[in-house]
Amino acid sequence: MRGASVLDKAGRALTVKEPSGSGNVVVYWMQGAFRVSHNPSLEYAVEAANRSGRPLIVLAVLDLGYPEANARSFKFFLEGLVDVREGLARRGIALHLRKGKFEKILAEYAAEAYTLVSDAAYLPAMRGIRERVYRSFESGIVEVEPNVLVPVKAASGRMEYGAYTLRPKITRLAPIYEGDFATREYRGERLDDELDFDPSDHARILKGQVEDVPPCGTPGGSGNASRLLGNFLERKYPTFAARRGDPAAQAESDLSPYLHFGHISPAQILEGARRAGPPNENYRAIFEQLIVRRELAHNFTLYAKSLSSPFDFIPGWAAESLKAHEGDRREYVYSLGELEGARTHDKYWNAAQYELLTKGKIHNYMRMYWGKKIIEWSEGVEEAYHAMVYLNNKYALDGRDPNSYAGIGWCFGLHDRPFRERGIFGKVRYMSEGGLTRKFDMEAYIKRAYSAVVPE
Ligand SMILES: Cc1cc2nc3c(=O)[nH]c(=O)nc-3n(C[C@H](O)[C@H](O)[C@H](O)COP(=O)(O)OP(=O)(O)OC[C@H]3O[C@@H](n4cnc5c(N)ncnc54)[C@H](O)[C@@H]3O)c2cc1C
């Protein structure tokens, strides 16, 4: 199926199958970008509907078998759907909220769809679901990339070595793509909504149905994302470059869960930063994280051979050197249960793990430390990798994301350079407790980690 696919000139929309002319509706399967503004997939579907003279249906499916999802992530997801419902009603577009297996539900739309528009996916599990869903459709499938500013293949045709190789390409291309996020007017007929469930009723929908990971205080949805963005721009952005790396400062945006669920787009955040004043060091810092680093992660997950083991994707120098040190003695080895329960000898690490358990997110600097220590305290590289993926994807609201695998991979040397050789890590960068206490007020971090559980 892939062989016949055609990418449009801009690189944003991939036609997997041309429409045959049959079918009486355009269906946008909203699967990765749960928002009604700054959403290139939705706008593509609006244009397809206007052009073809067919009405548009937006379809969102609640599949309780979604890989690695649980009560925490489903609640956040359902809160996002409440805003989608309101936003689509304002734009005069019908919403179908269906519950069941993706493949089964989508197959019900195959006969009547003139075109199926879907959100591009980067992780293997989600790409697999797309492939299976597409089998039911004889014609008319277009995949659009709604969640990156520069479409991944337009930015680069290969797996990049690091931020330094992607940065010049993406910086040059970014201005060209901002127009893709503009809203188009829907001129078609307003069909009726079809709702299998009320997304605001998440407690009832989820009770006893999915793994019970306690929800955190952070509420999902585009409205909450926009409010958090406004607060970030007013209070944190003016010192973002200087303070975002400090775990005690509370200076990061906390927008990653909303980016992960597509409740907000990078374009909207960047637009806000630009409106806050002429480009300065804070603009450069947000561009570096939100566009360069985040889209490097998408580049990595799309082109990586596999994400099953770090040895499938880390650079050769890192793989050789980690293997050479696999037999090194570990001073501490913790079981997955001890790590999960934040029961190690290291109070800073425990605080980071506590943040993950309660807030669903760890401060960026502490997330690096968290990962590095799991390598130091595990029997071997594979055990460390699987522990990190398990904990991150189970508890982090922004988990199961290209950034999850790129961030975890970075702990094993991905996108990094060699350092002086040492035990366990070989030439892979090491992080020490001393480094934390020298640079930051770590007692203030601990206080913050154990108290503030809702982002401000
Ligand atoms: C072991 C490990 C695991 C990680 N797991 C995840 C994950 O599951 N999900 C996730 O979104 N990020 C992950 N990261 C990357 C990073 O820590 C988070 O993106 C960041 O902390 C999110 O917080 P924020 O939104 O407040 O970031 P801010 O500092 O406010 O940055 C704004 C946005 O820029 C992007 N960004 C920031 N730092 C990075 C980075 N280093 N790499 C890529 N993009 C970045 C994020 O989209 C973020 O929301 C991980 C990093 C490590 C070391």
Side-chain angles (χ1 to χ4, degrees), residues 50-258:
N50 288 344
R51 231 185 5 251
S52 68
R54 291 166 168 91
L56 172 61
I57 292 170
V58 174
L59 167 67
V61 180
L62 173 65
D63 183 338
L64 294 172
Y66 193 92
E68 296 174 286
N70 54 47
R72 173 176 292 190
S73 47
F74 274 125
K75 173 176 176 284
F76 198 86
F77 163 75
L78 289 167
E79 286 163 344
L81 289 182
V82 174
D83 288 359
V84 167
R85 184 170 61 177
E86 284 170 16
L88 288 174
R90 273 198 304 275
R91 290 185 65 176
I93 299 172
L95 172 66
H96 287 199
L97 282 185
R98 305 290 312 278
K99 189 167 162 224
K101 286 248 135 294
F102 289 124
E103 292 88 332
K104 189 167 169 292
I105 301 281
L106 266 291
E108 292 174 22
Y109 290 80
E112 59 169 332
Y114 166 73
T115 296
L116 175 76
V117 178
S118 80
D119 298 321
Y122 307 90
L123 296 180
M126 287 320 299
R127 295 217 301 267
I129 291 173
R130 300 280 192 287
E131 296 288 340
R132 289 195 295 281
V133 161
Y134 294 166
R135 277 183 212 139
S136 317
F137 287 76
E138 307 250 306
S139 66
I141 303 172
V142 181
E143 244 185 41
V144 183
E145 287 192 80
N147 290 332
V148 285
L149 183 58
V150 180
V152 176
K153 286 184 184 153
S156 169
R158 62 176 172 86
M159 187 165 144
E160 293 290 333
Y161 293 108
Y164 73 102
T165 58
L166 184 64
R167 189 178 300 115
K169 298 175 186 170
I170 222 157
T171 306
R172 185 172 53 79
L173 290 169
I176 300 172
Y177 284 99
E178 285 171 20
D180 292 2
F181 292 80
T183 303
R184 276 80 169 159
E185 188 198 348
Y186 173 59
R187 295 193 299 272
E189 183 192 350
R190 165 79 161 99
L191 298 180
D192 290 339
D193 287 349
E194 278 185 28
L195 309 180
D196 280 0
F197 59 91
D198 173 357
S200 58
D201 203 4
H202 47 77
R204 201 184 53 78
I205 297 169
L206 300 175
K207 197 163 188 278
Q209 299 295 308
V210 290
E211 189 186 5
D212 189 19
V213 174
C216 19
T218 313
S222 295
N224 287 311
S226 295
R227 270 191 289 284
L228 200 61
L229 172 62
N231 187 52
F232 166 71
L233 292 172
E234 195 185 316
R235 291 180 38 211
K236 301 176 175 181
Y237 179 64
T239 56
F240 186 67
R243 298 174 74 230
R244 79 168 279 275
D246 180 349
Q250 230 161 331
E252 75 274 30
S253 71
D254 281 325
L255 284 166
S256 54
Y258 300 94

Side-chain angles (χ1 to χ4, degrees), residues 232 240 244 251-257 259-260 269 286 288-295 297 361-365 367-372 388 392-393 396-411:
F232 166 71
F240 186 67
R244 79 168 279 275
E252 75 274 30
S253 71
D254 281 325
L255 284 166
S256 54
L259 282 160
H260 169 67
I269 301 172
I286 193 77
E288 176 66 17
Q289 300 310 323
L290 180 70
I291 309 300
V292 178
R293 304 274 165 174
R294 182 170 174 278
E295 299 195 7
K361 182 171 175 295
I362 307 177
H363 182 274
N364 178 51
Y365 196 93
R367 215 162 186 173
M368 297 190 264
Y369 182 79
W370 175 87
K372 292 288 184 184
M388 271 190 241
N392 192 76
N393 287 356
L397 277 174
D398 60 10
R400 304 168 297 144
D401 189 88
N403 266 358
S404 317
Y405 291 89
I408 291 169
W410 176 87
C411 297

Side-chain angles (χ1 to χ4, degrees), residues 334-368:
Y334 291 110
S335 67
L336 185 58
E338 287 167 325
L339 293 171
E340 191 161 7
R343 294 193 305 274
T344 76
H345 67 284
D346 180 335
K347 63 180 177 179
Y348 306 126
W349 192 93
N350 292 346
Q353 174 66 15
Y354 186 81
E355 271 202 289
L356 181 63
L357 294 174
T358 53
K359 183 180 164 189
K361 182 171 175 295
I362 307 177
H363 182 274
N364 178 51
Y365 196 93
M366 291 307 292
R367 215 162 186 173
M368 297 190 264

Side-chain angles (χ1 to χ4, degrees), residues 28-48:
Y28 166 34
W29 175 29
M30 186 181 264
Q31 212 291 307
F34 295 96
R35 60 178 186 274
V36 299
S37 93
H38 295 80
N39 182 343
S41 302
L42 175 60
E43 303 313 332
Y44 185 99
V46 164
E47 281 196 343

Side-chain angles (χ1 to χ4, degrees), residues 58 427 453:
V58 174
K427 291 181 186 157
V453 290

